[in-house]
Amino acid sequence: MEVAEKIKDVRRAVKAARDKGKTIGLVPTMGALHAGHMLLIERAVKKTDYLVVSIFVNPTQFGPGEDFDKYPRPFEADLEKCRKWGVELVFAPKPYRMYPRENLTWVNVERLTEPLCGKFRPGHFRAVTTVCAKLFNIVQPDIAFFGQKDAQQAVVIKRMVEDLNLPLEIDICPTVREPDGLAVSSRNKYLSTQQRKDAVYLYKSLQRAGEMLEAGEKNTRKIISEMQNILSRVPFLEVQYINLVDAQTLEEPEQLKGEILVAIAAKLGPARLIDNILIDLDKT
Ligand code: AMP
């Protein structure tokens, strides 16, 4: 496995693979690799011949007061995992290599970035789409792999690729969960033992919403109030949003139909947690 810090080394390594007729996969990450990343990597190894994993804690996508400085960076352990999981190239640039000077060019996906996390993290998605566009241009993958865990990000990236005719496919992998149902996340490390136990209520509330939708409940307010009930059992949980939206447009539909994304974000102590489920009402 090769580890590259410089953009030109990535281009050289990828070109060599492409010259041999290999297809290129990319899994963009911020490191602190866990079972969620592993699923993306496993899928990428199956679907492409030469896999690039980027490890980059992108400073521009963190707002003031967010966790950029304390975000875990267990770099050597990450490299060990990548070796074990069959990655060919790790691209781990320092911020100055991605942003050698003030960045003046941004990719902004309108409308889809406004609701849900967009309301609470101004500028976040613009930074995510921009860094992903840069990574796509540096690596030029055939397929890039993202997780459904970050549902809004998945919708936004797909739309950017379509709107800009970027020559790659976006593959969305299902959310990997701990045995109790909590979505695996690097930020779960911030939780105390008690908070870690309580965090599962996010998923419990989503499950309840799923049950209600599958049983034919069409009243959004009823579903949300049931979820709030479940979440009210957790002391000090600060819910930022609970929304039922159309899975493609991310808009709140007048009538629940088609594919519905139930999405939640909440702060629990030092951690901001997000989770979601997708329910296809045409299939219930
Ligand atoms: P991150 O390192 O948190 O930026 O995540 C890198 C990629 O892994 C993103 O596409 C995430 O959506 C995805 N990911 C993170 N956690 C999970 C999870 N529990 N299940 C599936 N994918 C995940």
Side-chain angles (χ1 to χ4, degrees):
M1 185 181 82
E2 205 174 330
V3 182
E5 205 202 293
K6 295 181 186 162
I7 291 164
K8 68 168 197 235
D9 291 336
V10 175
R11 292 200 195 279
R12 179 195 39 74
V14 171
K15 182 174 181 310
R18 215 179 258 298
D19 286 348
K20 288 187 197 140
K22 294 188 174 178
T23 58
I24 313 297
L26 171 65
V27 176
T29 81
M30 298 204 296
L33 301 180
H34 53 58
H37 300 114
M38 187 172 76
L39 178 69
L40 270 59
I41 290 173
E42 275 173 2
R43 189 138 139 174
V45 164
K46 277 193 203 129
K47 285 195 162 188
T48 57
D49 305 321
Y50 183 89
L51 177 56
V52 183
V53 168
S54 60
I55 298 181
F56 182 55
V57 186
N58 177 32
T60 60
Q61 73 189 60
F62 289 76
E66 289 189 353
D67 55 344
F68 175 71
D69 287 330
K70 70 169 184 188
Y71 199 84
R73 292 166 170 86
F75 188 57
E76 289 306 321
D78 284 347
L79 292 185
E80 215 30 68
K81 286 176 184 164
C82 287
R83 267 187 209 105
K84 207 168 77 193
W85 296 340
V87 175
E88 268 83 12
L89 173 66
V90 170
F91 175 40
K94 297 270 188 319
Y96 75 90
R97 296 206 188 268
M98 292 297 274
Y99 306 106
R101 52 193 171 165
E102 185 191 357
N103 203 56
L104 298 181
T105 309
W106 298 91
V107 182
N108 187 33
V109 176
E110 295 174 2
R111 201 152 358 125
L112 295 173
T113 55
E114 286 167 15
L116 309 173
C117 287
K119 278 210 173 97
F120 295 87
R121 304 189 73 187
H124 169 72
F125 286 113
R126 183 184 85 140
V128 169
T129 41
T130 302
V131 79
C132 285
K134 284 165 76 72
L135 290 169
F136 295 165
N137 282 327
I138 293 165
V139 177
Q140 301 189 2
D142 297 281
I143 315 179
F145 298 81
F146 291 84
Q148 177 60 26
K149 158 81 172 33
D150 297 275
Q152 187 171 16
Q153 170 173 283
V155 171
V156 166
I157 298 278
K158 270 195 191 160
R159 185 58 182 254
M160 170 181 80
V161 166
E162 284 171 24
D163 283 355
L164 296 180
N165 303 97
L166 301 183
L168 76 157
E169 190 187 309
I170 299 297
D171 190 307
I172 306 299
C173 306
T175 302
V176 176
R177 298 182 179 282
E178 301 285 357
D180 67 353
L182 175 67
V184 177
S185 163
S186 312
R187 292 188 166 100
N188 294 348
K189 290 191 180 74
Y190 302 154
L191 300 170
S192 69
T193 312
Q194 185 57 47
Q195 287 164 342
R196 168 61 191 85
K197 280 188 194 149
D198 289 344
V200 73
Y201 280 92
L202 264 73
Y203 183 56
K204 286 192 177 172
S205 74
L206 289 169
Q207 273 183 312
R208 181 75 191 115
E211 281 165 19
M212 291 174 82
L213 285 166
E214 273 162 8
E217 180 59 67
K218 294 276 190 245
N219 186 330
T220 304
R221 263 184 298 157
K222 249 195 194 162
I223 297 172
I224 292 178
S225 116
E226 188 91 355
M227 291 175 73
Q228 282 166 335
N229 246 336
I230 292 172
L231 293 164
S232 67
R233 291 176 214 164
V234 182
F236 310 114
L237 183 77
E238 192 190 310
V239 177
Q240 291 191 332
Y241 65 77
I242 300 174
N243 280 132
L244 276 70
V245 296
D246 179 286
Q248 271 81 49
T249 66
L250 305 183
E251 283 167 10
E252 290 178 42
E254 277 183 22
Q255 257 184 14
L256 292 177
K257 61 177 161 54
E259 212 180 3
I260 297 294
L261 177 74
V262 188
I264 179 168
K267 276 185 158 176
L268 185 54
R272 181 178 183 275
L273 305 174
I274 59 171
D275 200 353
N276 68 86
I277 54 164
L278 269 178
I279 303 284
D280 191 343
L281 291 180
D282 294 338
K283 290 193 186 142
T284 57

